[in-house]
Amino acid sequence: MKITKQTYKKYVKMRAPSSPLGKDMAWAFLTGGLICAFAEVLYHFYLYLKIEEDTVKILVPITLVFLASLATGIGIFDDLAKIAGAGTLVPITGFSNAVIAPPLDDKSEGLVMGVGAKMFTIAGPVIVYGTISSVIYGVIYWLVGVIT
């Protein structure tokens, strides 16, 4: 029996659960906003501790990466992501999760072939294309500066 593309699309549409788009967007907005607000609280807390502002600008993302990695390690991040969706991808927490989660899944394969090999399976392309994009942007920015 051969199924046409149109028949298959109808079948998938009929069987796939509908997504509550409004609710998903609201949760993503709320949790992403809360993560950013927490980062702002950290920023002011570090300033309150009389830490130099340049150092505070380094400490805030480091703290967010640490907390997201810790939450991933103890299994809380995935539960939050199921509720929050894309909201957990805001500032750097999603990237931290993308680096930490794959090696945790494959740690039984050892430090080299499990943890080391799997660490950048998800985050690797982001790093590569992010770096390439920033170089291209930098060259364009430099060329515009030279021309004007």
Side-chain angles (χ1 to χ4, degrees):
M1 179 174 155
K2 188 168 183 164
I3 299 175
T4 64
K5 287 184 179 182
Q6 289 78 15
T7 306
Y8 182 72
K9 284 182 181 180
K10 286 180 186 178
Y11 174 76
V12 169
K13 189 173 184 176
M14 184 178 68
R15 300 286 296 184
S18 63
S19 176
L21 187 61
K23 183 181 125 190
D24 290 348
M25 289 186 331
W27 274 113
F29 181 79
L30 180 67
T31 54
L34 286 173
I35 291 170
C36 291
F38 177 68
E40 192 68 25
V41 168
L42 281 174
Y43 180 82
H44 291 287
F45 174 71
Y46 288 141
L47 287 177
Y48 175 78
L49 295 177
K50 305 285 190 237
I51 299 173
E52 288 185 36
E53 188 172 8
D54 288 342
T55 306
V56 169
K57 290 177 182 178
I58 297 167
L59 284 175
V60 170
I62 287 173
T63 304
L64 290 173
V65 165
F66 170 77
L67 292 174
S69 299
L70 181 66
T72 299
I74 59 177
I76 296 172
F77 195 92
D78 289 339
D79 295 335
L80 176 63
K82 285 177 188 172
I83 297 168
T88 56
L89 299 178
V90 180
I92 199 165
T93 54
F95 185 75
S96 175
N97 176 260
V99 172
I100 298 299
L104 284 178
D105 293 340
D106 295 311
K107 66 183 174 187
S108 63
E109 295 180 31
L111 288 176
V112 175
M113 296 308 291
V115 175
K118 303 295 183 181
M119 187 167 292
F120 295 107
T121 51
I122 295 175
V126 175
I127 295 169
V128 169
Y129 292 110
T131 304
I132 290 170
S133 299
S134 66
V135 168
I136 291 169
Y137 177 80
V139 169
I140 292 170
Y141 184 78
W142 178 76
L143 285 173
V144 169
V146 169
I147 292 172
T148 57

